[in-house]
Each structure stands twice: as C-alpha cells, then as structure tokens.
Amino acid sequence: MAVPRSEYLSHVWADSIFTDRVVFVTGGAGSICSAQTRALVHLGANACIVGRNVAKTEDAAKEIAKVRKGARVIGIGGVDVRSFDSLKSAADRCATELGAIDFVIAGAAGNFISPISALSPNGFKAVIEIDTIGTFNTIKATIPHLVQSAARNPNPNPSGATGGRIVAVSATFHYTGMPLQAHVSAAKAAVDSLMASVALEYGPLGITANVVAPGAIAGTEGMERLASSALDSTQRNSGVPTGRWGTVRDIADATVFVFSDAGNYINGTNIVVDGAGWRRHGSLGVGLDPDMKYPDFLITGDISKNVKDGRKAKL
C-alpha cells in the first residue's frame, strides 16, 4: 500500500510539474531522502536511488514507485559514496536507463553522538568521507548530466519545465556550534561551501545548486541517534520556536520548491527548514537526557544512553 500523500507532500503542487524529469538520489532509502524522492515521483518524475545496502535500496525503490502509476524508480545498491567510480557507474546507469539526470539530491550522511575527547580519528574521518567527500563525488559524477539537462531547459523556460538542479541535504549545527557534534558540524560546513562553489562555477551553465538544512525531523533514524528517548514530547518541542519537530514532508516540500519553476532564481543559498530551531540550539539538547545541563555533562563525561547507536563497530 502506497504511503498517503499527506505524509510526504503538501497539496499546493500540480501533479504533473515534473513529468519526464529524472532525479538521482544518494541515501535515497533513508527517511528524509525517500520522502523527497517520493514527492518528486508523485509529481511526475522518474528516479534512481542509490545506497550501500542492496536489499534496502531495491525495496525502497519499489515502495516509492507505488505513488504513481507508470513511475520508474530504480534502486541501485552496492554504491559507496566514498568511491567516485562507484557513484559514476550508478549515475551513468541512471542516465542510460531513464534517459537523463535532471535533478540530484546528495543526501547520504552519517552521524553519532560523541564529544571530541571520545571521538577517534577514524570516527571523524568516517563522517567527513561520507558527508563531505560523498557530496563532492556526487557532484563530480552527475554534473556532466546536469549541464546537459540545463542546456535543454533554459532558465526560465516558457514551458515551465526545469532541469540542471542539485540540492545537498545538510544540517544547522555549524551555524552556532553544537556539543557532541564536532564531526558532523565540520562535514556539513564543508558541504555548504561545496554547494556555494557549484553555484558560482556552474551557474553560468544554467545549474542551480542549493542546500536544504533540516532541523529536528520526527520519525527519522537521524533523530533516534541524536535525541534522548527519555525526553517527552513537550520537552522535545520546547526547543523549537515553531513549537514542534519537523516532518519529512516539510523537507520534501522545500525540495520540490527549489526544483520547480517557482525556484528558478534560487541559487547558492541554504534553505533552513527547522522552525527557527537553530536559533535556540542550546535548547535542543542533542545527546542529553532531561537532567543533563551544559557544561556539566561535558565535565562529568555524561552522555545520554537513550539514543540509538548506528555504528556496527567502534570507529
């Protein structure tokens, strides 16, 4: 049974705005990126999602394809974003089988809770490799296809069709700094910088390159790794001025906007989708239980045990 539209896409978009477009997505089986992909496919696009886990990626592709009759969604597993050759092979396969790559979402990411004192060099390197180098490799592997798409789709296009657009999924921790997130902050700051460079260097060729920066998004594995399960909903929501955590639909809608005809003049910017949460980062309490306060938890070395550890082995 297909996921209800209300869970991944608002009702303001016309169903055919992305007809015959093709989107290439890294991390496409993840909770946020699958919602982004599902929204685009619902609105007429076809898609390639890539990931390391073959079964998970292929199963996610089959589920996403259910949102629209006739949708073509290819799941390409066994792809490591740290390997340029792996990504290039996947991107070339996508363009061959679906005819083009018009949009790209660089969404593969890694995260865990750790103070610098406990963060190993390998752990820091792993996040940099997945987030930063993975984004760079995604850009390099897909940019020739995006340039071709941009050439076919002038900005603005009288028909309303768009192409040659890339979005990276980033974060907001590095805007102010965040305890226990030095590795991710460094990686995502670099991602933001990379996308700014893409906008500057490829904007003259018709490319738009932007960042979508989610805040706390409910129901995602990312927040299971960051937020203590000992916090009740009132405690969690109190850190966000809007009064709630975000949804995957919030991120999907932002992505649809920048890829659509409405986003023609948006280039080289960070679209923050977090209910103004980044302005109160100290209240978010990443990796903290209700009784843990800054800076005491750092001095005592206490970190919440009520978070999901996504690492299969010690890094």
Side-chain angles (χ1 to χ4, degrees):
M1 183 176 180
V3 177
R5 171 179 174 144
S6 61
E7 293 188 14
Y8 62 87
L9 187 66
S10 65
H11 288 273
V12 301
W13 310 108
D15 284 344
S16 61
I17 60 174
F18 294 133
T19 296
D20 297 328
R21 305 296 91 179
V22 177
V23 58
F24 181 87
V25 187
T26 65
S31 46
I32 288 178
C33 291
S34 63
Q36 293 170 297
T37 309
R38 190 174 276 111
L40 295 168
V41 171
H42 184 110
L43 298 175
N46 294 314
C48 291
I49 64 171
V50 304
R52 295 185 69 184
N53 186 304
V54 175
K56 181 180 179 181
T57 304
E58 292 179 351
D59 289 346
K62 292 175 184 177
E63 287 301 312
I64 292 169
K66 293 178 181 179
V67 303
R68 178 174 57 82
K69 184 177 180 180
R72 297 182 65 191
V73 182
I74 301 171
I76 307 176
V79 178
D80 188 342
V81 297
R82 296 171 293 186
S83 165
F84 171 74
D85 290 341
S86 181
L87 267 175
K88 185 178 185 304
S89 177
D92 290 348
R93 175 185 165 187
C94 177
T96 297
E97 294 190 21
L98 296 184
I101 294 177
D102 300 293
F103 308 136
V104 172
I105 299 173
N111 198 358
F112 52 88
I113 296 293
S114 179
I116 293 173
S117 60
L119 181 61
S120 71
N122 281 342
F124 183 86
K125 179 182 177 183
V127 174
I128 294 293
E129 286 183 333
I130 295 170
D131 289 45
T132 306
I133 296 176
T135 298
F136 175 79
N137 287 339
T138 302
I139 294 166
K140 290 290 288 185
T142 61
I143 202 71
H145 302 289
L146 291 176
V147 169
Q148 292 174 10
S149 176
R152 294 191 300 269
N153 297 281
N155 182 353
N157 193 339
S159 72
T162 58
R165 304 196 173 180
I166 180 170
V167 157
V169 180
S170 188
T172 63
F173 296 150
H174 54 289
Y175 297 174
T176 60
M178 172 65 73
L180 314 181
Q181 291 288 277
H183 45 310
V184 177
S185 295
K188 293 303 190 183
V191 167
D192 291 2
S193 183
L194 274 172
M195 297 305 288
S197 294
V198 174
L200 289 167
E201 295 187 20
Y202 288 93
L205 297 179
I207 303 294
T208 70
N210 294 289
V211 165
V212 172
I217 304 299
T220 61
E221 185 172 355
M223 288 312 297
E224 290 179 359
R225 297 183 184 185
L226 297 180
S228 169
S229 60
L231 296 171
D232 61 34
S233 59
T234 299
Q235 291 168 324
R236 293 184 177 192
N237 293 339
S238 65
V240 184
T242 299
R244 66 172 175 87
W245 278 13
T247 66
V248 293
R249 190 181 90 167
D250 293 321
I251 310 305
D253 276 331
T255 306
V256 170
F257 173 58
V258 293
F259 282 167
S260 76
D261 193 36
N264 287 337
Y265 206 52
I266 299 173
N267 194 16
T269 196
N270 292 11
I271 299 176
V272 180
V273 188
D274 78 335
W278 76 268
R279 297 186 179 276
R280 300 192 68 231
H281 266 167
S283 301
L284 182 59
V286 165
L288 306 183
D289 291 331
D291 59 341
M292 296 178 180
K293 306 299 180 185
Y294 177 86
D296 299 344
F297 70 91
L298 292 170
I299 296 170
T300 61
D302 293 328
I303 299 174
S304 175
K305 302 298 190 296
N306 299 302
V307 294
K308 180 178 180 179
D309 189 347
R311 293 172 291 179
K312 296 181 180 180
K314 186 175 181 180
L315 295 170

